[in-house]
């Protein structure tokens, strides 16, 4: 879709509603929601809303959160709604979902043409589907197109678990609600294939036909990144951020993501210890929060190079490009776990846009789609391979490093938020000629 065509479509559908776990959650798709919201403003939507959860509920869930005072304000024109729960303590978690779904019903019945985009099938796509069904039963005018994006962990953590535990009803509920949306998306080819595979397992056991429908309808939509935030970075700005953090350019190896088992930070710490990086004066900077934070700090403290390992728990969004650009290498050694598989790797694409040293990662889930052939790929759970990769990076000629960085940046430009939103709107526009959705 050209910018003019996108603007024309935005005049028809004046409102975009995004349902997601939004800031302050440390999650790439929280940032994706912000990016899509801002891109929608640029494309002519005159009302953009992010409907999400009360902050106290996010805190109670144990999700990794950014410090509230470090969260960047949303751009003017974006309204963030956090509906209060409905009911009292006798309706434990359902009361929060009732509040969110109820607010969506109100938005879908006020007569404003709306595109409703949900990130995560469970519970967000389910909430949108329920809200649309209720809105239509009210008899009030409903002009809404729904777009459901499976980001991956909702499949690995919900659908796959249901398949493994033979909980047919729960799996059927998620998949049926997903397919009830007008547009069905997946965050990577890996995620799309995973959906079809898990649906086929359900079909084989119960005689359903979910896999056929998913294969026919699910399209790939890569995460939306604010490319401008990374391309507009200045060297002076990077020097200032590094100085404030007590870091030197090309003087540290960086990890920046959630601190969870699936991210492989334990392997990175061991790999750093075994490499020549500490002796070469390099530091290891582990930036982020998450359930494994205390365990990883203890692991690092027990190593012989504990004084060369720094943990940062308060990195703001505007610091990220600078920390990424200044590092010797960016390492994300993800490994598949029952609770999580890296279905894309947004942080990797952000790093590639920032410049600086190369990415070292694993060929897990959808990571290959995020990095193409521009990263150093090591085996999963292999600290020795990480050590060897770090040593190779340290020995790389600066000219070759610069050429590598430029090639990585060119690859990552495809994830620009305007490009991603335009492709989503293309799918929406294609529905205009579909009688069943008229």
């Amino acid at each position: 879709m050209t910018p003019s065509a996108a603007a024309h479509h935005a005049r028809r559908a004046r409102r975009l509603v995004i349902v997601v776990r939004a800031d302050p959650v440390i999650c790439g798709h929280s940032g994706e929601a912000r990016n899509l919201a801002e891109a929608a403003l640029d494309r002519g939507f005159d009302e953009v809303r992010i409907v999400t959860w009360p902050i106290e509920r996010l805190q109670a869930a144990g999700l990794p959160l950014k410090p509230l005072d470090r969260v960047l304000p949303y751009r003017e024109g974006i309204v963030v709604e956090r509906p209060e729960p409905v009911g009292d303590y006798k309706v434990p978690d359902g009361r929060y979902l009732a509040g969110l779904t109820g607010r969506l019903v109100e938005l879908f019945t006020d007569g404003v043409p709306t595109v409703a985009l949900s990130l995560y099938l469970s519970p967000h796509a389910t909430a949108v589907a329920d809200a649309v069904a209720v809105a239509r039963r009210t008899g009030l005018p409903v002009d809404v197109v729904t777009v459901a994006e499976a980001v991956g962990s909702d499949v690995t953590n919900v659908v796959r678990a249901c398949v493994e535990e033979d909980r047919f009803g729960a799996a059927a509920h998620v998949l049926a609600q997903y397919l009830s949306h007008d547009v069905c998306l997946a965050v990577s080819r890996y995620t799309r294939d995973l959906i079809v595979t898990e649906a086929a397992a359900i079909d084989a056991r119960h005689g359903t036909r979910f896999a056929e429908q998913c294969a026919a309808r699910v399209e790939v939509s890569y995460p939306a990144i604010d490319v401008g935030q990374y391309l507009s970075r200045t060297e002076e700005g990077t020097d200032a951020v590094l100085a404030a953090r007590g870091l030197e350019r090309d003087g540290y190896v960086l990890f920046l993501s959630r601190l969870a088992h699936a991210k492989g930070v334990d392997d990175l710490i061991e790999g750093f210890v075994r490499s020549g990086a500490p002796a070469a004066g390099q530091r290891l900077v582990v930036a982020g929060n998450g359930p494994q934070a205390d365990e990883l700090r203890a692991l690092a403290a027990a190593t012989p190079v504990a004084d060369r390992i720094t943990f940062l728990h308060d990195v703001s969004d505007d610091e990220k490009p600078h920390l990424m650009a200044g590092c010797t290498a960016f390492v994300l050694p993800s490994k598949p776990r029952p609770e999580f598989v890296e279905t894309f790797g947004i942080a990797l694409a952000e790093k590639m846009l920032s410049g600086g040293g190369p990415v070292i990662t694993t060929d897990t889930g959808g990571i290959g789609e995020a990095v193409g052939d521009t990263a150093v790929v090591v085996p999963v759970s292999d600290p020795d391979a990480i050590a060897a990769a770090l040593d190779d990076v340290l020995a790389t000629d600066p000219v070759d490093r610069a050429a590598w960085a430029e090639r990585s940046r060119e690859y990552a430009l495809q994830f620009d938020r305007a490009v991603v939103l335009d492709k989503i709107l293309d799918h929406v526009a294609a529905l205009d000629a579909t009688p069943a959705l008229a």
Side-chain angles (χ1 to χ4, degrees):
M1 179 181 290
T2 64
S4 59
H8 172 74
H9 180 79
R11 285 194 292 274
R12 277 196 62 257
R14 295 190 298 111
R15 176 199 290 152
L16 175 66
V17 174
I18 303 174
V19 187
V20 69
R21 290 197 297 265
D23 279 331
V25 177
I26 297 177
C27 162
H29 299 288
S30 170
E32 182 183 7
R34 179 190 290 263
N35 288 331
L36 287 170
E38 293 190 355
L41 291 178
D42 294 337
R43 284 295 187 250
F45 284 82
D46 56 21
E47 182 180 342
V48 180
R49 294 177 183 268
I50 295 176
V51 182
T52 185
W53 305 93
I55 290 177
E56 61 271 17
R57 184 59 193 149
L58 297 174
Q59 292 170 329
L63 291 165
L65 305 179
K66 306 168 188 174
L68 293 176
D69 60 351
R70 305 302 295 273
V71 176
L72 294 175
Y74 282 86
R75 198 166 108 187
E76 184 176 355
I78 299 172
V79 177
V80 178
E81 295 196 42
R82 302 180 184 272
E84 290 299 315
V86 175
D88 59 20
Y89 69 95
K90 294 187 288 294
V91 189
D93 290 334
R95 61 198 189 109
Y96 288 92
L97 189 58
L100 186 144
T101 305
R103 179 58 183 141
L104 292 174
V105 171
E106 294 166 358
L107 289 171
F108 297 165
T109 55
D110 66 1
V112 178
T114 298
V115 174
L117 168 63
S118 53
L119 306 181
Y120 294 101
L121 302 185
S122 180
H124 302 133
T126 297
V128 170
D130 286 344
V132 170
V134 171
R136 288 177 175 152
R137 290 191 184 105
T138 66
L140 297 170
V142 177
D143 187 354
V144 59
V145 175
T146 59
V147 182
E149 180 178 302
V151 305
S153 58
D154 42 13
V155 180
T156 59
N157 202 25
V158 178
V159 178
R160 176 179 282 178
C162 291
V163 171
E164 292 173 349
E165 299 167 13
D166 199 20
R167 300 179 65 180
F168 165 70
H173 180 234
V174 173
L175 290 173
Q177 293 286 50
Y178 182 32
L179 290 165
S180 75
H181 285 70
D182 301 317
V183 177
C184 301
L185 303 176
V187 77
S188 61
R189 288 191 301 274
Y190 167 81
T191 303
R192 180 189 180 279
D193 292 345
L194 179 64
I195 292 168
V196 174
T197 298
E198 299 301 332
I202 294 172
D203 293 346
R205 292 186 189 182
H206 300 282
T208 49
R209 297 179 58 190
F210 288 121
E212 177 185 342
Q213 297 174 70
C214 289
R217 295 196 53 211
V218 178
E219 303 285 348
V220 174
S221 178
Y222 290 123
I225 297 174
D226 180 7
V227 168
Q229 178 186 7
Y230 299 90
L231 300 187
S232 63
R233 178 191 63 82
T234 65
E235 299 301 333
E236 295 78 12
T238 297
D239 289 339
V241 168
L242 297 187
R245 290 290 187 177
L247 299 172
E248 296 181 1
R249 193 184 290 263
D250 292 328
Y252 60 97
V253 174
L254 178 65
F255 169 92
L256 197 161
S257 189
R258 289 185 299 112
L259 302 186
H261 287 287
K263 298 294 184 176
V265 188
D266 52 345
D267 298 325
L268 171 56
I269 291 173
E270 291 297 329
F272 179 76
V273 170
R274 299 176 194 180
S275 75
Q282 293 284 315
R283 303 192 65 82
L284 172 60
V285 175
V286 178
N289 275 317
Q292 205 186 3
D294 292 341
E295 179 183 337
L296 291 170
R297 288 176 183 271
L299 176 64
T303 68
V305 296
D307 62 326
R308 307 298 304 170
I309 303 177
T310 300
F311 284 80
L312 302 177
H313 68 278
D314 59 348
V315 172
S316 62
D317 288 338
D318 55 357
E319 282 184 291
K320 279 199 314 183
H322 301 292
L323 291 176
M324 289 172 165
C327 69
T328 304
F330 183 89
V331 189
L332 181 65
S334 291
K335 48 190 173 185
R337 297 268 302 182
E339 74 278 6
F340 180 82
V341 177
E342 200 80 61
T343 53
F344 182 77
I346 293 176
L348 297 171
E350 291 172 339
K351 165 64 187 70
M352 291 156 62
L353 291 165
S354 298
V359 164
I360 300 172
T361 189
T362 57
D363 189 8
T364 300
I367 283 179
E369 297 171 66
V371 301
D373 63 353
T374 70
V376 178
V377 177
V378 298
V380 169
S381 301
D382 193 337
D384 286 332
I386 294 173
L390 288 173
D391 291 341
D392 288 344
V393 168
L394 289 171
T396 301
D397 182 89
V399 174
D400 292 335
R401 282 166 53 91
W404 196 339
E406 185 57 33
R407 188 163 59 92
S408 298
R409 181 181 290 110
E410 286 297 318
Y411 180 86
L413 288 174
Q414 66 180 298
F415 308 123
D416 177 66
R417 64 189 186 184
V419 174
V420 173
L421 178 63
D422 284 351
K423 290 180 179 178
I424 293 174
L425 294 180
D426 279 339
H427 291 302
V428 172
L431 298 172
D432 290 344
T434 304
L437 297 173

